Amino acid sequence: MTGGLVLGVESSCDEMAAAVVRASAGKTEVLASVVEGQAQVHRPYGGVVPELASRDHLRSVSAVADAALRKAGIDVTDLAGVAVTAGPGLLGSLLVGLSFGKALAYRHGLPCVGVHHLAGHLAAAELCEPDLQVPYIGLVVSGGHTALYRVVAEGPPEILGETRDDAVGEAFDKVAKLLGLEYPGGPAVARVAENGNAAAIALPRPMLHDPNLDFSYSGLKTAVSLAVQEREPLSEAERSDLAASFEAAATDVLVAKARRAVAEQGASHLAVVGGVAANQRLRAVMGRAGDEDGFRVVFPSPELCTDNAAMIAAAGARLLAQGERHGLELSAFSRVPLSQRPWS
Ligand code: KG4
Ligand code: ZN
């Protein structure tokens, strides 16, 4: 396959998503992208309940895929291939999308490829900025990952640094809980932070001055927990100040380490991807850092930062064009480094 219409399916966590892209030499266009979230399913529990996530995926998978095909104005017989997230993520959730994608491909005699979820997130930047020049630095910031990569033309991205404990998105979600905000936490913290003073409460910036490209977020989360305990019950103003101070501490470390990675590698472009890349403060501060240091910062549009299937279809279209094919034996992986694709 050298191009054509590719259906992407993504179900690694609590979003069921399907999308259609048209891939031709060097250009990928999104024809339709449908995402069905499960906020109402998990909100009573304050976080994702894996068993409920996979059950809800089972309910919605066919309808979401149909909706993507309909929105794209195509029939399944027009497809040139199917791309589906094979990992990492919640196994039960992954299996729903993966089984659906494999079955659909088998039924219609289409080639199928498994895509690494983080390769998908990076492909979102390339979708939004076709001129992104390799090698570039990729900062992946999501609910499960916080890592810096050097992305090259051939071969897997090389890891430069990663979190030693919690992911930054996980910290946003936990801080939201501490502040009594509803799931999903990241956008809620960002909303409340808009009315707060980021300098009001001194919080640590873990590993900021360590001479490496690693991160740590569990200590920051503990510091917020202690600050909440000292002030309880929180006034509205204190809650906003804590949210703003946390958001500043969390994003400052991301900016500092990404800046260092770009300088050390002599890169001209930085792509910031994953759910936390939708954060407006991070977008603004990272953009200014790029202007000061003379590198270009690429953020996918906010709907392509959080989990979606357009990014999976885009990454899969490239694999299909390279001749990669996976059979029915393709299985889901809950944890797998981006440098290694054990299903291929
Ligand atoms: O990439 P993603 O949709 O799913 C994973 O692969 O994990 O990222 C979800 C994470 C969650 O932790 C969520 O709280 C965070 O991204 N997030 C945000 C924002 N929007 C989503 N964090 C900060 N600010 C936001 N605006
Ligand atoms: Zn993700």
Side-chain angles (χ1 to χ4, degrees):
M1 190 200 115
T2 52
L5 300 170
V6 175
L7 176 74
V9 180
E10 151 67 39
S11 68
S12 64
C13 190
D14 60 336
E15 261 101 21
M16 183 68 237
V20 178
V21 301
R22 178 184 284 125
S24 52
K27 192 167 161 275
T28 307
E29 185 192 350
V30 183
L31 301 189
S33 178
V34 177
V35 181
E36 191 168 310
Q38 301 179 341
Q40 75 291 354
V41 174
H42 303 291
R43 188 164 290 140
Y45 309 95
V48 178
V49 183
E51 178 62 28
L52 296 182
S54 51
R55 270 195 242 167
D56 199 66
H57 284 334
L58 268 179
R59 177 192 62 75
S60 62
V61 60
S62 300
V64 170
D66 277 349
L69 293 172
R70 210 171 39 247
K71 261 183 99 172
I74 64 159
D75 188 77
V76 66
T77 53
D78 298 323
L79 290 173
V82 176
V84 55
T85 308
L90 301 171
L91 262 189
S93 288
L94 286 163
L95 279 170
V96 177
L98 183 60
S99 307
F100 178 87
K102 284 193 299 188
L104 188 84
Y106 182 73
R107 160 75 179 80
H108 295 280
L110 295 167
C112 180
V113 277
V115 174
H116 193 292
H117 184 76
L118 300 189
H121 273 305
L122 288 167
E126 294 165 30
L127 257 179
C128 292
E129 179 60 65
D131 296 331
L132 195 58
Q133 280 165 18
V134 283
Y136 66 85
I137 300 300
L139 172 64
V140 180
V141 280
S142 71
H145 297 88
T146 305
L148 278 160
Y149 294 95
R150 181 169 179 271
V151 183
V152 289
E154 305 262 321
E158 174 195 336
I159 189 143
L160 303 173
E162 64 186 327
T163 183
R164 304 243 177 120
D165 40 58
D166 294 352
V168 61
E170 196 180 345
F172 266 92
D173 295 334
K174 286 178 177 168
V175 165
K177 252 187 171 173
L178 291 169
L179 298 181
L181 300 170
E182 284 208 321
Y183 166 86
V189 170
R191 222 167 18 249
V192 172
E194 278 173 25
N195 307 317
N197 172 7
I201 296 149
L203 292 172
R205 276 136 176 87
M207 303 192 74
L208 184 65
H209 300 295
D210 289 28
N212 56 41
L213 297 171
D214 285 345
F215 304 89
S216 165
Y217 280 100
S218 73
L220 175 57
K221 177 196 67 193
T222 306
V224 174
S225 171
L226 292 173
V228 170
Q229 279 171 33
E230 280 166 16
R231 291 166 179 79
E232 259 171 343
L234 290 180
S235 67
E236 274 304 303
E238 283 173 328
R239 195 163 75 151
S240 298
D241 285 349
L242 264 170
S245 301
F246 162 75
E247 188 181 49
T251 51
D252 281 357
V253 184
L254 296 175
V255 173
K257 295 273 169 142
R259 240 175 154 153
R260 185 182 299 164
V262 169
E264 280 178 12
Q265 298 292 327
S268 58
H269 285 66
L270 167 73
V272 188
V273 303
V276 181
N279 184 273
Q280 292 301 331
R281 184 182 196 278
L282 176 62
R283 294 170 90 95
V285 179
M286 196 73 91
R288 282 202 295 275
D291 290 344
E292 279 168 29
D293 290 7
F295 61 87
R296 182 93 185 275
V297 188
V298 175
F299 282 97
S301 57
E303 65 279 8
L304 288 179
C305 287
T306 46
D307 285 349
N308 66 87
M311 65 185 197
I312 301 302
R318 198 165 42 204
L319 294 174
L320 287 166
Q322 289 163 3
E324 215 159 309
R325 303 282 183 273
H326 300 137
L328 290 175
E329 69 286 354
L330 173 66
S331 50
F333 288 81
S334 60
R335 297 178 74 86
V336 51
L338 181 49
S339 57
Q340 186 194 337
R341 277 190 284 123
W343 52 81
S344 59

